[in-house]
Amino acid sequence: MTTIVEVPRENLAPQDLGRRNAVPIIYTRGTHYDIGFDIGRTFGKLIRDYVERYKPLNEAYLSLYETIEGRRVYDETLACVKEQYPQYVREIEGTADGSGVPFYKLFLMHLDDIVPNAAADGAQGNTQPVGCSSIICNHPGQEILGHNEDALTETMNHWYLVDAHVVEPGLQEEKFCSLSYAGFLPGYTMGYNHHGLVYSINTLSARTLRSGKTPRYFITRALLGVENFVKAQETLRNEGYGAAEGFSVNMTFLKQEGDRMFHNAEVGPVETGDTRSQLCIMTASPGENLFHCNKYMRLKVPEVEGLIIDSSIHRMAAINRHPPPKTRQEVIDILSDQTDDDFRVYQDIRPEDFVKTIATGIFDCVARTWSIYTDKPNCNEPIVVLPLRFKDNEPQCCRMKSAS
């Protein structure tokens, strides 16, 4: 006789749950601290689980934080962001208080590999093939930004959407919606704001990172408040400080006049002796396409060696085997590509893979919608289709309330 023992669902570890077809979302309004606190309070269990399982934090960052050099990098960088973006530090403090996770752990996660790299004389940190694939299609009636969000396996089921209206005396009003990893500031994945910015982010792994400069999570959080392309460039240059690490931004502004223009901005860490980020921008005019993964294509920035570069090369090769996409469906088909034996555009075949595509987003700039898929998009329906809400399409009562 066989005895079947049923394991209670609450005792299953998150990694045993498989890919969940669910998109948690919080709608919140208040000060920066309020926004952070509400996120922490609402998703506290999710955040605590993620912090406990986030390997870079537990296998590297925490031990380095206990060293003299590691603490120096932490303190220098915290001082840098407090000078520029104290309101975003308050957001993290709110999330820490709401979730019960110590602030220093959340801030260490926002530093990524800055601490191991800057504290250990340029030692490489995590070179696993984390990152993302973004595709821009700018054709008549088909103005599409498609994005695969790839992350370490432990990030699966540990993300949510933040739809926030930040109102704080003396500070700029912000309204945005962003996919966010549990415990992290919104901004470093994909989303949009009420000024018409639509964007996605690709991680880039420079070989040398900078202590006392601005982590990419703070620069991309600031992007959620920009009103136009000029302000976006100013934010990315981060004059007076400069980026501590690398990333790229794929973006357009839906309220801009004239033809639709998409842009890819590659951002490099500030060079020695300089006080602003390295920046190179390419534009896709009507009838053109742009693709980006996790390797510098224009800026001459020395990069790490390892799987993140190998993966990016393989994914770009797979993307380029397709004809240039001219429709939404063709963008979806490319983002679903799994033809490469080693590194796929849509990463989710082998259970042992430590990086997976956790979500796919399709921004339709004509229909003004954001479709989010939690499984391979060319054979699944989106789990949610969100309307893109801007200042000019808000109800009159909302505009009057925001202005008061």
Side-chain angles (χ1 to χ4, degrees), residues 55 121 135 147 241 291 303 306 311 313 329 342 404:
K55 291 180 182 178
D121 296 324
I135 298 175
H147 179 76
Y241 299 90
F291 314 131
E303 298 177 275
S311 170
I313 292 171
Q329 186 58 51
D342 298 311
S404 61

Side-chain angles (χ1 to χ4, degrees), residues 46-100:
L46 209 61
I47 294 169
R48 291 190 296 273
D49 284 346
Y50 190 46
V51 170
E52 288 177 4
R53 291 166 174 79
Y54 190 57
K55 291 180 182 178
L57 175 70
N58 295 296
E59 296 179 1
Y61 304 164
L62 285 174
S63 58
L64 283 166
Y65 176 74
E66 300 297 330
T67 68
I68 293 175
E69 278 300 299
R71 188 59 182 268
R72 175 188 63 80
V73 174
Y74 176 98
D75 290 340
E76 286 179 353
T77 309
L78 179 58
C80 171
V81 294
K82 279 186 172 180
E83 287 179 6
Q84 302 175 77
Y85 302 122
Q87 69 273 34
Y88 302 146
V89 175
R90 290 196 297 274
E91 282 187 23
I92 301 175
E93 290 171 343
T95 301
D97 292 345
S99 65

Side-chain angles (χ1 to χ4, degrees), residues 217-375:
Y217 283 97
F218 286 83
I219 294 177
T220 55
R221 172 63 186 85
L223 271 182
L224 288 173
V226 302
E227 300 177 8
N228 52 51
F229 184 48
V230 172
K231 291 293 185 182
Q233 293 176 78
E234 291 176 359
T235 298
L236 296 175
R237 287 195 183 94
N238 195 226
E239 192 73 50
Y241 299 90
E245 46 197 336
F247 60 99
S248 84
V249 185
N250 312 280
M251 58 184 157
T252 188
F253 282 85
L254 297 191
K255 295 173 66 178
Q256 70 188 17
E257 296 181 356
D259 293 335
R260 167 70 47 230
M261 297 291 182
F262 288 90
H263 313 279
N264 172 263
E266 290 188 341
V267 180
V270 58
E271 295 184 291
T272 303
D274 205 349
T275 58
R276 65 178 184 173
S277 313
Q278 301 177 68
L279 182 64
C280 182
I281 296 175
M282 177 175 281
T283 296
S285 300
E288 296 181 337
N289 299 90
L290 273 177
F291 314 131
H292 214 287
C293 293
N294 307 108
K295 187 179 188 307
Y296 282 102
M297 299 174 68
R298 301 180 304 276
L299 277 179
K300 304 302 181 184
V301 174
E303 298 177 275
V304 300
E305 297 177 356
L307 296 179
I308 189 168
I309 302 302
D310 296 340
S311 170
S312 189
I313 292 171
H314 280 248
R315 282 179 282 135
M316 283 297 289
I319 290 170
N320 284 314
R321 284 195 289 270
H322 292 261
K326 295 182 179 180
T327 67
R328 172 190 177 122
Q329 186 58 51
E330 289 171 350
V331 170
I332 289 173
D333 289 341
I334 295 174
L335 290 173
S336 304
D337 188 289
Q338 294 183 313
T339 57
D340 192 278
D341 291 334
D342 298 311
F343 302 102
R344 290 152 293 281
V345 179
Y346 193 93
Q347 304 194 80
D348 189 32
I349 289 184
R350 298 174 299 202
E352 68 271 18
D353 286 348
F354 39 77
V355 169
K356 287 186 169 58
T357 301
I358 63 171
T360 298
I362 301 292
F363 293 96
D364 188 324
C365 299
V366 175
R368 295 197 168 189
T369 58
W370 179 14
S371 301
I372 299 175
Y373 299 77
T374 52
D375 214 331

Side-chain angles (χ1 to χ4, degrees), residues 361-394:
I362 301 292
F363 293 96
D364 188 324
C365 299
V366 175
R368 295 197 168 189
T369 58
W370 179 14
S371 301
I372 299 175
Y373 299 77
T374 52
D375 214 331
K376 195 164 71 164
N378 70 346
C379 52
N380 290 279
E381 293 297 316
I383 195 75
V384 64
V385 179
L386 298 173
L388 302 180
R389 296 178 291 115
F390 308 127
K391 276 188 172 181
D392 61 355
N393 62 12
E394 291 177 341

